């Protein structure tokens, strides 16, 4: 109570005053720094920071926040505008804004298929050589593609090495690469087919034009080179023999394969014999070959055959007349024989010689 005096009236009185203390001063709030995170990092204040606040009357003020998000340019990226609010006990408030940027700058993880060695003509496409695997912390499985194939020619046709670079790309266009080596070689020999074994009669040609030529194919290269080598074994009689002919096919990478053809040259052909003409002689004619003729013979494989004769005599109708069946035989070195028959007829058509006694008187 305060005393009051009316100076005019000379009277005094008292009045009562009520003082009301109010808080209308807002607290002060201090935001954490703006921050940039990678997509897999936590955006909780425990990771991005918490605002602090002070107040002249109430310590400390209550701190709250609310977020407003805007999607980024690619999946799982965005910007958070985080509004922090400090509120004192009298509901005075102050705000500040923190910007949290969530980006994706981390490339995917890519694992290439194993390096591989193929044999020509195996295919070198990924269906045969394998695909990589890739993962990404932020996005769905990355896109996988062949970035490049660098091919180095091998030492022989259709052999080569591919340096295949694979690339994995995530939704934010971050990339990762790996390299796979694909070696295509040729270690497979050609396939060869020998001509059939053959038996020939001498005299004959044993060149491939007469006995056949091997054929060969190769999966990788041009038709292989075909050669042959002969090993000859002498037969049991002249000009007979056996050839073991080894055919070899060699491809451009020097792979080779062989097969064996057996060529047998025999002699089963009899000589050709020609008998002397049949002959008729008059008793007492000579019947030995020097008089009646000799057979002749030839043989295609061996030296001139051996010629022998054998006589069968048939008695004639009167003394000292007869017929000889002379069989001539030619035998070659392989014991092949040919025969012919000569007839020698010994007759008597000559009259006796008579001598009369002298005339007499």
């Amino acid at each position: 109570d305060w005393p009051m005096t009316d100076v005019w009236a000379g009277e005094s009185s008292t009045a009562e005053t009520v003082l009301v203390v109010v808080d209308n001063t807002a607290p002060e709030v201090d935001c954490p720094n703006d921050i940039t995170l990678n997509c897999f990092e936590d955006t909780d204040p425990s990771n991005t920071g918490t605002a602090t606040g002070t107040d002249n009357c109430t310590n400390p003020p209550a701190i709250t926040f609310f977020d407003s998000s805007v999607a980024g340019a690619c999946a799982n990226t965005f910007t958070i505008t985080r509004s922090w609010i400090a509120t004192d006990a009298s509901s005075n408030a102050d705000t500040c804004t923190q910007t949290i940027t969530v980006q994706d700058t981390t490339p995917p993880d890519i694992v290439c298929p194993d390096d591989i060695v193929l044999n020509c003509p195996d295919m070198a496409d990924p269906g045969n050589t394998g695909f990589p695997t890739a993962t990404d912390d932020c996005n769905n499985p990355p896109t996988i593609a062949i970035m490049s194939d660098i091919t180095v020619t091998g030492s022989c046709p259709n052999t080569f090495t591919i340096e295949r670079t694979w690339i994995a790309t995530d939704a934010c266009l971050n990339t990762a690469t790996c390299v796979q080596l694909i070696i295509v070689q040729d270690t497979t020999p050609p396939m060869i087919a020998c001509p059939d074994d053959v038996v020939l009669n001498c005299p004959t040609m044993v060149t491939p034009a007469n006995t056949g030529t091997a054929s060969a194919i190769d999966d990788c290269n041009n038709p292989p080179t075909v050669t042959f080598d002969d090993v000859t074994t002498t037969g049991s009689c002249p000009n007979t023999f056996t050839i073991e002919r080894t055919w070899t096919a060699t491809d451009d990478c020097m792979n080779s394969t062989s097969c064996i053809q057996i060529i047998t040259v025999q002699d089963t052909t009899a000589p050709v014999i020609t008998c002397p003409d049949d002959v008729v002689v008059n008793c007492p004619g000579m019947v030995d070959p020097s008089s009646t003729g000799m057979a002749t013979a030839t043989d295609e494989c061996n030296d001139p055959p051996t010629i022998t004769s054998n006589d069968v005599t048939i008695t004639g109708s009167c003394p000292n007349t007869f017929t000889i069946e002379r069989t001539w035989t030619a035998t070659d070195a392989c014991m092949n024989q040919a025969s012919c028959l000569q007839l020698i007829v010994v007759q008597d058509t000559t009259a006796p010689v008579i001598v009369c006694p002298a005339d007499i008187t």
Side-chain angles (χ1 to χ4, degrees), residues 109-114 125-127 129-135 141-147 164-169 176-180 182:
D109 290 319
I110 186 170
V111 178
C112 262
D114 291 337
D125 62 272
T129 59
F131 287 90
T133 58
T135 57
T143 301
I144 298 174
I146 296 175
M147 183 177 178
R164 177 165 290 164
T165 302
W166 291 93
I167 185 169
T169 307
T177 61
C178 65
V179 176
Q180 177 193 20
I182 302 166

Side-chain angles (χ1 to χ4, degrees), residues 10 32 38 81 85 110 112 121 125 130 153 162 199 222 256 276 288 338 351 360:
N38 220 40
T81 301
I85 305 166
I110 186 170
C112 262
D125 62 272
T153 303
I162 297 175
V199 177
N222 295 322
S256 64
D288 62 276
I360 189 172

Side-chain angles (χ1 to χ4, degrees), residues 16-203:
E16 188 176 274
T17 301
V18 177
L19 298 177
V20 178
V21 179
V22 296
D23 181 4
N24 55 15
T25 302
E28 292 182 1
V29 66
D30 186 14
C31 269
N33 293 329
D34 294 341
I35 190 170
T36 298
L37 304 176
N38 220 40
C39 64
F40 51 82
E41 294 183 274
D42 192 358
T43 60
D44 188 81
S46 62
N47 190 48
T48 60
T50 303
T52 58
T54 57
D55 188 74
N56 291 331
C57 298
T58 304
N59 278 314
I63 304 294
T64 59
F65 70 91
F66 68 89
D67 289 345
S68 175
S69 295
V70 177
C74 54
N76 295 317
T77 64
F78 48 90
T79 299
I80 298 174
T81 301
R82 179 164 289 166
S83 297
W84 290 96
I85 305 166
T87 307
D88 64 16
S90 298
S91 298
N92 299 303
D94 187 23
T95 63
C96 66
T97 301
Q98 177 192 19
T99 300
I100 301 169
T101 302
V102 177
Q103 63 183 5
D104 179 7
T105 59
T106 303
D109 290 319
I110 186 170
V111 178
C112 262
D114 291 337
D115 295 341
I116 189 170
V117 177
L118 303 175
N119 214 51
C120 159
D122 291 339
M123 299 297 290
D125 62 272
N128 194 43
T129 59
F131 287 90
T133 58
T135 57
D136 190 75
D137 290 332
C138 295
N139 301 310
N140 294 323
T143 301
I144 298 174
I146 296 175
M147 183 177 178
S148 66
D149 274 352
I150 299 175
T151 302
V152 178
T153 303
S155 58
C156 53
N158 296 315
T159 64
F160 49 90
T161 298
I162 297 175
E163 186 179 278
R164 177 165 290 164
T165 302
W166 291 93
I167 185 169
T169 307
D170 66 17
C172 292
L173 301 182
N174 300 302
T175 61
T177 61
C178 65
V179 176
Q180 177 193 20
L181 290 180
I182 302 166
I183 299 172
V184 179
Q185 62 184 6
D186 179 8
T187 59
T188 304
M191 291 178 285
I192 189 171
C194 262
D196 292 335
D197 294 343
V198 65
V199 177
L200 304 173
N201 216 50
C202 99

